Every structure is written in C-alpha cells, then in structure tokens.
Amino acid sequence: MPDTEEIINLTQKYLIPTYNRQAVVFERGQGCRLWDTEGRKYLDFVSGLGVNSLGYGYPSVVKAIQEQAEKLLHVSNLFTISQQARLAQMIVRQAFSGKMFFCNSGAEANEAAIKLARIYARKERGIEQGEIITAYRSFHGRTMATLTATGQEKVQKGFEPLLSGFRHVPFNDLAAVREAANDATIAVMIEPIQGEGGVHVGTIEYLAGLRDFCTRQGILLILDEVQTGIGRTGRFFCHQHADLEPDIVSMAKALGSGVPIGAILARDEVARAFVPGSHATTFGGNPLSCAAGIATVSAIVEDGILENCQKAGNHLSEGIKGLQRKYPFIKEVRGKGLLWGMELDRDGSRIVRTCLEKGLIINCTMGNVLRFLPPLVISREEIDEGLAVLDAVLSQADNVSQ
C-alpha cells in the first residue's frame, strides 16, 4: 500500500502548487465510490469535476480502453484515424449537421472555437478586429484567449495584458447583449449553465433569444458545453432543452470518461473557414482517446444514462430543496439534471472539508456555492446517503464555518 504521507510530501516538494489540494490520495474507484490509500471509502458527488460521468470502472469504457491500448495508442493527425471519424459521426447524430475538430481539453476546445469564429468573420465578413461577447461569471478556460473570454477578474488577475476583442455583459440579460453588439461583433459565447461561476442556469427564453438575435445580426452563437455536454443535464447537450442549434458547440470533460479529449462541432459553413494549417493539435483525437469517447457516447445513448440522469436529477433537486427549507442560511438552489448549486450566506470551504472527512466528496465554487455533479449512473439510494451526510454537516454549519 502506498505511503500516504510520503506521497503528500513528494507532491508538496515537487509539484507547482496551482491547486489547494486535499490531503487525500485516491487509489481506486468503482461506480460512484472512491477508496483512498488508507482504505477509507468515499461517495463522489463531484465525479472529477464532471469528467467521470459514468462513474469509475464502467465496463464498456474499460474494455474499449484496454483493447485500444493493446492495438494503437497514437498516430499523428497527418493520417486518417478511424476512431476519430466514427466518434465524430456519433456526436453529429446526437447534435446537428456539421464537422468536428478534436483536441485534448475544454480550454483547447474553446480556444479552437474562438479562432474559428475570428477567421470565419475575417473571410466571410471582412472583419479584421472582431469582438466576441461573453458573460460575467463565465468560465471558458485558462489559456490566454479563454481566460480573457472568462468573465471573472480573479482568473485574469496577474496575467495582463489580456487579449483584445472580448466584451462582457451580464448573464441571462438579452437586452445587454443587444446593447453591447456593434458592427465589430462576430460572435456571442455563452455557457447554457455557468458551472464554475456558481451554477447559474440560462433560461430557455434567454438562449432562444440569443439564437434569434445572432441569426438576425449574422453573428455566430458559440455555446460552451464543456461541463454541460455529454448528458450532464439529461439531454445529450444542454442547449437541446431550448430546442435550438448553435453555430459552434464545445465539449470535453465527460467525453472520454477520464481519458483527456475535447472537441468542437461547427456548422459546415463555419467549419469551412479552417483549412489545413489553420489550426492543429498533436495529441488531440488520437485512437485511444477516441475509443474512450466512442464507448462513452455509446453508453450515454444506449444504456439509459440520460433517463437515469433525469430521474436522479429530480431526486437530487427535491433533496437539496428540502435542505433549503430546513436551513435559512441556504439562500438559493439552482441547476438542471445532475448539475446543481446550493448558494450559502457564508463560506462553503469548511463544509466541503467536513463532508470529505465524513466520506462525501462535494465541491465549492465562487466561495459560497456548494456544487453537486455526481456520476450520471448514481442511484436514488446513493443520493439519499450523500444528502444525509450533507444534512448532518449543515446542521453543524455554525460550528464548521467558524
């Protein structure tokens, strides 16, 4: 058994501290459970920040990764990759007609979306210095372009000068988008649900209004579904709740069930703006990651995962709304499917740590919003178990928050 203290000491000595890491070292997982190196068991309500949507050890995904690893891990994108073509076909069938570009992460996917929007506007509209409208509280990544697109000053601070060409407006405010748009506007880039920004849900009217506005203005609608895509909200993509199609949608996190992969899907007309040499990736869309993606998408579509997400999501929603009625310091609960936030009138970090001590993994974002995004395979019984732990911790919130 690994020496937990030694691993923590090595981490502190040799890794750049870009995270405030918990002193827990996980060794294995199964379903919605994780075990650490000390043998303690945890119930996971975070699923690796939305990556492990099928939980741990999902049989068809494990089998696909094992079989592909024995055959071929990687070839460059200078060659035709059958797994990449098959995965693209599967995603298009679940979304809308268009073409895909595969990469390694959500930030890289959003970076590709931004570059595609700019080169499309330059070729089709002759706009040299195009602007993209994004929302306050948004989170699109930590590369220079995506952190500039992100509407959170804390993410940008210290990395100035930022890139030009981004304008931020309040979320869920269609009038603000209309007011901010001008002749230089080339796109609106929005998350259907702001996950990292505190789980704020874009209304159906807002999303549909954006689609209509962008169409009438001849500008692109880019939807960042890195966190909400691949089944998280009970539909394959969250924007399908609003019965609309974006011009570009980005995805990552759940797509590979833990194997790094990101992607964009763009309408054919827009996708044509990229030609050989416009954009590239070395590792993106290699046979291993795409094999994991194929197994993941197959499971989401064929194994009743979306149906479970809807039912389990309703059960989780009822449970946390019940806690809101019980504890006045819970200001608001909001979310969709199996992505929910619980806004507190106080700091949530100690509640997160206390839950971890009691074997429940939850997350806090924006300082005071507890975020729940469990695996989509979670059962009613596991949700009840997690909520019971949370209830017990919240009942002592005045103590744990001091």
Side-chain angles (χ1 to χ4, degrees):
M1 179 179 292
D3 185 320
T4 304
E5 185 175 351
E6 179 189 8
I7 295 169
I8 292 171
N9 289 338
L10 289 173
T11 299
Q12 293 172 346
K13 184 174 182 179
Y14 291 111
L15 294 185
I16 296 174
T18 54
Y19 290 88
N20 289 316
R21 297 178 189 271
Q22 303 285 351
V24 175
V25 183
F26 291 119
E27 189 173 52
R28 64 186 176 90
Q30 187 65 45
C32 299
R33 312 276 181 177
L34 283 163
W35 284 262
D36 69 14
T37 47
E38 301 295 316
R40 289 189 292 262
K41 185 169 68 173
Y42 300 81
L43 179 59
D44 187 2
F45 269 33
V46 178
S47 61
L49 292 174
V51 169
N52 302 305
S53 281
L54 298 176
Y56 302 91
Y58 198 84
S60 61
V61 174
V62 172
K63 183 172 183 288
I65 293 172
Q66 289 175 334
E67 290 180 350
Q68 188 58 49
E70 291 175 356
K71 295 177 183 175
L72 187 64
L73 291 176
H74 174 82
V75 295
S76 78
N77 281 299
L78 296 176
F79 300 94
T80 301
I81 300 172
S82 63
Q83 295 84 358
Q84 201 174 110
R86 288 179 54 212
L87 179 57
Q89 181 188 42
M90 293 173 72
I91 293 173
V92 166
R93 284 176 173 172
Q94 296 302 317
F96 55 89
S97 177
K99 288 186 170 54
M100 299 199 64
F101 170 81
F102 288 101
C103 51
N104 304 286
S105 68
E108 202 179 335
N110 285 332
E111 188 87 17
I114 291 166
K115 288 182 66 176
L116 180 57
R118 284 189 170 183
I119 200 165
Y120 173 78
R122 184 163 298 191
K123 289 182 175 179
E124 297 297 320
R125 299 174 58 194
I127 298 177
E128 297 289 331
Q129 301 291 329
E131 290 185 349
I132 297 176
I133 296 173
T134 72
Y136 290 121
R137 288 192 316 242
S138 63
F139 182 83
H140 299 293
R142 295 183 188 273
T143 64
M144 281 307 298
T146 58
L147 75 84
T148 307
T150 292
Q152 299 184 47
E153 188 178 358
K154 67 178 184 181
V155 176
Q156 302 168 340
K157 191 174 182 180
F159 298 105
E160 301 85 353
L162 303 178
L163 301 182
S164 62
F166 294 92
R167 181 174 296 204
H168 298 93
V169 299
F171 186 62
N172 259 337
D173 188 340
L174 187 57
V177 174
R178 292 193 185 106
E179 188 174 340
N182 54 49
D183 290 342
T185 303
I186 62 171
V188 176
M189 183 175 185
I190 296 290
E191 299 158 281
I193 299 176
Q194 293 183 324
E196 185 67 24
V199 192
H200 294 275
V201 181
T203 66
I204 299 295
E205 294 76 17
Y206 174 64
L207 297 174
L210 285 178
R211 176 66 281 177
D212 180 64
F213 176 74
C214 289
T215 300
R216 287 190 287 106
Q217 296 298 313
I219 60 181
L220 300 180
L221 176 60
I222 304 171
L223 294 182
D224 176 348
E225 294 236 28
V226 168
Q227 186 163 138
T228 56
I230 325 298
R232 172 55 59 185
T233 67
R235 301 288 296 272
F236 196 83
F237 284 113
C238 185
H239 66 258
Q240 293 169 333
H241 291 283
D243 194 25
L244 61 83
E245 294 180 356
D247 298 298
I248 306 172
V249 61
S250 61
M251 66 204 81
K253 287 189 180 293
L255 183 55
S257 290
V259 178
I261 183 171
I264 59 169
L265 168 61
R267 288 194 300 107
D268 286 312
E269 176 194 350
V270 179
R272 281 196 291 270
F274 268 172
V275 296
S278 300
H279 193 57
T281 173
T282 297
F283 291 100
N286 69 28
L288 181 71
S289 63
C290 286
I294 289 169
T296 300
V297 172
S298 295
I300 293 286
V301 174
E302 299 171 6
D303 293 357
I305 303 298
L306 295 178
E307 291 78 7
N308 188 69
C309 177
Q310 294 164 8
K311 292 177 181 176
N314 290 337
H315 192 60
L316 176 61
S317 167
E318 292 169 3
I320 58 177
K321 287 177 180 176
L323 294 176
Q324 183 189 21
R325 292 189 290 271
K326 190 173 181 179
Y327 299 107
F329 57 81
I330 300 174
K331 296 172 62 177
E332 187 177 16
V333 297
R334 48 188 181 253
K336 189 186 291 288
L338 279 170
L339 172 56
W340 284 86
M342 174 186 284
E343 184 172 342
L344 311 176
D345 68 359
R346 61 196 66 189
D347 174 67
S349 60
R350 293 192 180 185
I351 292 174
V352 170
R353 286 199 295 273
T354 306
C355 283
L356 185 67
E357 291 168 4
K358 296 181 178 299
L360 175 66
I361 303 170
I362 61 172
N363 171 248
C364 181
T365 184
M366 303 299 282
N368 67 332
V369 180
L370 303 181
R371 181 170 47 166
F372 313 101
L373 56 166
L376 307 186
V377 297
I378 197 165
S379 67
R380 290 172 61 94
E381 292 75 20
E382 288 168 328
I383 289 173
D384 291 340
E385 179 185 336
L387 290 176
V389 174
L390 180 62
D391 189 0
V393 173
L394 293 177
S395 71
Q396 302 296 316
D398 289 336
N399 296 327
V400 300
S401 295
Q402 290 175 351

